[in-house]
Every structure is written in structure tokens, then in C-alpha cells.
């Protein structure tokens, strides 16, 4: 747990510099950030039943959880997914996971397969949906793909199905109840996070 706590602390310090630039000093996005980070940390740790997971992987989990919590909170508050957070977190997670996977080339290959698959599928969804998905969603995709790929890259399909179904269902309900119009933009990031969480939990325990 030392490596998790250390990476969470380091990531929080870095993100605290960026976070106010997007949400200002509103309290509720910070609370959502804290809640989202804790949920993601629980998801990642509970999905890894192997007690011999290296410190670098645990550090990667800490970075990912803190960053995804922040991204979800920013998207809810502003409908933005800052690429500065997405790509910096991606590089850190890939480096940390790669250090652990040098002796397991198959796992390292799966990580990069997950990145490519998730990026391609989100780009395709954006094209099909008439660009109702923003560029920030495309920027977030590789980070989620790296996490899913480390567990099992095939679960990327599960993630995309879960996020599409959940986003479509909520949008349909809101439109049917006239709380939103078809032309309104919804924050798709939380549904991407939900889909990734479902996929990771589904394949958890194989790590």
C-alpha cells in the first residue's frame, strides 16, 4: 500500500495545480474528484487478486485512480476532458506498468493493444455519432485502454458496449422526460469511465 499512497499523494499535488484552472474554487467538483478517485482505487485494487503485484503497478494504479477521478469531476463540471491530464497520466501509467512487465512481454503487448483498440473504437464512435463525442473523449481513450489492456485487451469491447448502452439509456430517458433536447450535449466522459470500470471488474482476478 506504500506505493499506492505515495503515487496518490504525488498525483494529487500535481493535479491540484491544474484542477482550479478548469473548475475554479467550486467545492463540489473537488468532492467528486475525491469520491471518484476512491472508487477507482477500490476497483483497480479489488480486480487484482494476485498478492505479488509489483510496487510499480500499484503506483500506476494510484496515478490512474487519482487522474480518472479528476477527469470525471472536470467533465461533470465543465463538459471538458483536459488532454494535459489524460496524456500526462497515460505516460506515467505506461511507464510504471512497463517497468513491471519487462519480464512479461505478453502483458506489455496487451497493454499497447488495449491503447490502440480503445483509441480506434472511440474515434469510430465519434465519427458514427456525428461528432457528438468531443475531442476530450478521444484523448481519454488511450488511458482507459492502457488500464483495460493490462488486465485483458479483449475487454475493450465490453467497455465500449457498456458506455454506449449507459449513455444512450440516460440520454433517451432525459429526452423522453423533456429534460434535454436531442441537440443538447451530454458529458460522455463519466460513461466512458463507467464502461471501463465494468470491463475491468468483469476480467478482474486474472491479473
Amino acid at each position: 500500500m506504500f506505493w499506492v499512497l505515495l503515487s496518490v499523494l504525488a498525483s494529487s499535488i500535481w493535479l491540484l495545480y491544474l484542477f482550479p484552472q478548469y473548475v475554479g474554487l467550486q467545492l463540489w467538483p473537488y468532492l467528486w474528484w475525491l469520491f471518484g478517485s476512491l472508487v477507482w482505487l477500490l476497483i483497480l485494487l479489488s480486480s487484482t487478486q494476485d498478492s505479488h503485484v509489483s510496487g510499480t503497478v500499484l503506483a500506476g494504479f494510484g496515478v490512474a485512480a487519482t487522474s480518472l477521478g479528476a477527469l470525471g469531476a472536470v467533465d461533470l463540471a465543465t463538459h471538458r476532458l483536459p488532454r494535459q491530464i489524460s496524456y500526462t497520466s497515460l505516460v506515467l501509467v505506461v511507464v510504471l506498468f512497463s517497468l513491471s512487465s519487462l519480464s512479461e512481454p505478453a502483458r506489455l503487448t496487451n497493454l499497447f493493444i488495449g491503447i490502440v483498440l480503445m483509441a480506434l473504437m472511440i474515434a469510430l464512435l465519434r465519427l458514427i455519432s456525428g461528432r457528438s463525442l468531443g475531442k476530450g473523449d478521444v484523448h481519454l481513450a488511450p488511458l482507459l485502454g492502457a488500464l483495460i489492456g493490462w488486465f485483458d485487451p479483449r475487454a475493450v469491447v465490453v467497455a465500449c458496449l457498456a458506455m454506449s448502452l449507459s449513455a444512450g439509456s440516460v440520454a433517451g430517458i432525459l429526452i423522453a422526460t423533456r429534460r434535454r433536447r436531442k441537440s443538447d450535449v451530454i458529458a460522455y466522459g463519466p460513461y466512458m469511465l463507467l464502461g471501463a470500470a465494468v470491463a475491468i471488474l468483469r476480467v478482474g482476478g486474472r491479473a
Side-chain angles (χ1 to χ4, degrees), residues 30 48 66 102 132 154 164 185 201 204 207:
Y30 290 84
T48 309
T66 311
L102 291 176
S132 63
R154 294 171 295 182
S164 298
V185 177
L201 288 170

Side-chain angles (χ1 to χ4, degrees), residues 1-90:
M1 288 300 292
F2 169 77
W3 292 108
V4 174
L5 294 175
L6 181 63
S7 61
V8 166
L9 177 61
S11 299
S12 298
I13 292 172
W14 157 61
L15 288 166
L16 275 172
Y17 171 75
L18 292 176
F19 206 68
Q21 299 178 28
Y22 303 110
V23 302
L25 298 178
Q26 304 176 77
L27 178 60
W28 71 266
Y30 290 84
L31 295 177
W32 270 112
W33 175 17
L34 176 61
F35 175 74
S37 299
L38 290 174
V39 169
W40 265 103
L41 199 55
L42 287 172
I43 289 170
L44 292 170
L45 292 177
S46 65
S47 297
T48 309
Q49 298 176 4
D50 186 350
S51 60
H52 300 293
V53 172
S54 70
T56 55
V57 170
L58 293 175
F61 285 168
V63 171
T66 311
S67 301
L68 292 176
L71 286 164
V74 171
D75 198 25
L76 285 172
T78 66
H79 286 197
R80 296 177 64 189
L81 287 166
R83 61 186 178 185
Q84 292 91 337
I85 298 177
S86 295
Y87 287 125
T88 302
S89 304
L90 172 65

Side-chain angles (χ1 to χ4, degrees), residues 98-178:
S98 296
L99 289 174
S100 172
S101 303
L102 291 176
S103 59
E104 300 178 86
R107 188 179 290 283
L108 188 59
T109 299
N110 286 344
L111 183 148
F112 285 103
I113 290 174
I115 292 174
V116 173
L117 280 178
M118 194 68 170
L120 288 175
M121 294 191 75
I122 293 301
L124 180 61
L125 283 174
R126 184 170 186 252
L127 182 63
I128 293 173
S129 66
R131 298 183 182 273
S132 63
L133 276 70
K135 289 183 179 180
D137 301 315
V138 178
H139 297 321
L140 173 61
L143 175 58
L144 296 180
L147 289 173
I148 297 170
W150 189 84
F151 286 94
D152 186 346
R154 294 171 295 182
V156 166
V157 177
V158 176
C160 290
L161 286 173
M163 68 180 69
S164 298
L165 289 173
S166 58
S169 299
V170 172
I173 291 171
L174 291 175
I175 292 171
T177 56
R178 298 185 178 180

